[in-house]
């Protein structure tokens, strides 16, 4: 039992640093997670699609598939799925090294995030915007790991606190009625 009285199994973190949406879909299959059930799911994915120059349309299609899979994992309870915006890696020392155009990075990240926010709204899912605050702090040494690219544990902890506030509120709500015939 946690400090606040919540009882959970240990979290299952599927994605790894450097993964694209395609990599995450493949891992879900490889780990046999289709059909698994979870109380909560969060998705923060896509920065590596942008970094690798993959087509935005591919990201859109694969994110839509990831959302479908995630909704199945939470029994269709969209209020238990959270989508996060993508942090702008162009503000980091790695991004500022002159090898990439930081304005182009920001513009592409904004396009990805616009789609994430739009699909969250269309599908009535939680959307947590982290990009703008990260643009203000993402280049600070304390907020980065040694590679000068990836966020530090402090940044991830802040994002986790934000997700937990949303999720705690949702877990206190009864599941919505679905009016399925098997529930009568």
């Amino acid at each position: 039992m946690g400090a606040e009285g919540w009882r959970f199994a240990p979290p299952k973190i599927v994605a790894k640093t450097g993964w694209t949406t395609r990599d995450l879909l493949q891992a879900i299959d490889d780990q046999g997670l289709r059909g698994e059930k979870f109380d909560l799911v969060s998705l923060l994915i896509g920065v590596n699609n942008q970094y690798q120059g993959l087509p935005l349309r591919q990201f859109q299609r694969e994110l839509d598939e990831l959302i479908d899979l995630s909704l199945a994992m939470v029994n269709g309870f969209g209020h238990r799925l959270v989508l996060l915006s993508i942090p702008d890696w162009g503000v980091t020392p790695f991004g500022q090294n002159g090898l990439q155009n930081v304005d182009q990075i920001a513009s592409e990240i904004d396009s990805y995030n616009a789609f994430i926010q739009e699909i969250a709204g269309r599908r009535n899912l939680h959307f947590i915007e982290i990009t703008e605050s990260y643009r203000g702090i993402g280049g600070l040494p304390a907020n980065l790991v040694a590679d000068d690219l990836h966020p530090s544990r402090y940044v991830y902890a802040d994002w986790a606190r934000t997700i937990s506030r949303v999720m705690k509120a949702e877990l206190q709500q009864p599941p919505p009625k679905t009016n399925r015939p098997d529930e009568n």
Side-chain angles (χ1 to χ4, degrees):
M1 176 105 42
E4 295 183 42
W6 296 92
R7 196 179 296 237
F8 289 104
K12 175 86 173 159
I13 301 172
V14 179
K16 304 280 186 216
T17 299
W19 279 12
T20 65
T21 47
R22 172 61 30 215
D23 297 320
L24 181 54
L25 286 165
Q26 186 62 54
I28 288 169
D29 287 337
D30 292 348
Q31 295 179 30
L33 295 175
R34 287 181 190 258
E36 289 287 319
K37 298 299 180 198
F38 298 92
D39 291 314
L40 313 164
V41 173
S42 64
L43 285 173
L44 170 52
I45 189 82
V47 70
N48 290 296
N49 290 66
Q50 183 278 329
Y51 177 76
Q52 294 178 23
L54 299 175
L56 177 61
R57 183 67 196 124
Q58 176 183 344
F59 168 75
Q60 293 169 331
R61 188 175 53 254
E62 292 172 351
L63 181 65
D64 204 39
E65 185 177 348
L66 285 165
I67 290 170
D68 288 342
L69 286 168
S70 297
L71 284 169
M73 290 175 180
V74 294
N75 292 314
F77 300 142
H79 65 289
R80 294 193 174 178
L81 172 59
V82 172
L83 306 179
L84 287 90
S85 66
I86 300 170
D88 184 348
W89 62 275
V91 303
T92 68
F94 181 90
Q96 301 272 320
N97 69 10
L99 299 176
Q100 304 279 337
N101 179 320
V102 294
D103 292 332
Q104 181 179 351
I105 294 167
S107 176
E108 290 173 3
I109 293 287
D110 288 345
S111 294
Y112 276 69
N113 285 333
F115 177 74
I116 298 167
Q117 186 170 18
E118 183 271 324
I119 198 169
R122 182 168 24 99
R123 296 183 74 169
N124 199 29
L125 305 172
H126 290 285
F127 173 77
I128 297 176
E129 202 291 322
I130 60 172
T131 309
E132 289 308 314
S133 64
Y134 191 72
R135 283 179 170 147
I137 65 165
L140 301 174
N143 294 327
L144 295 164
V145 296
D147 66 5
D148 283 339
L149 171 62
H150 292 96
S152 72
R153 64 185 171 124
Y154 306 112
V155 174
Y156 279 110
D158 186 53
W159 295 341
R161 279 189 296 277
T162 302
I163 293 169
S164 73
R165 283 191 293 272
V166 171
M167 290 303 189
K168 280 194 273 187
E170 290 303 336
L171 286 171
Q172 293 173 3
Q173 304 298 318
K177 294 282 187 189
T178 60
N179 295 321
R180 294 190 317 228
D182 61 329
E183 293 182 349
N184 292 330

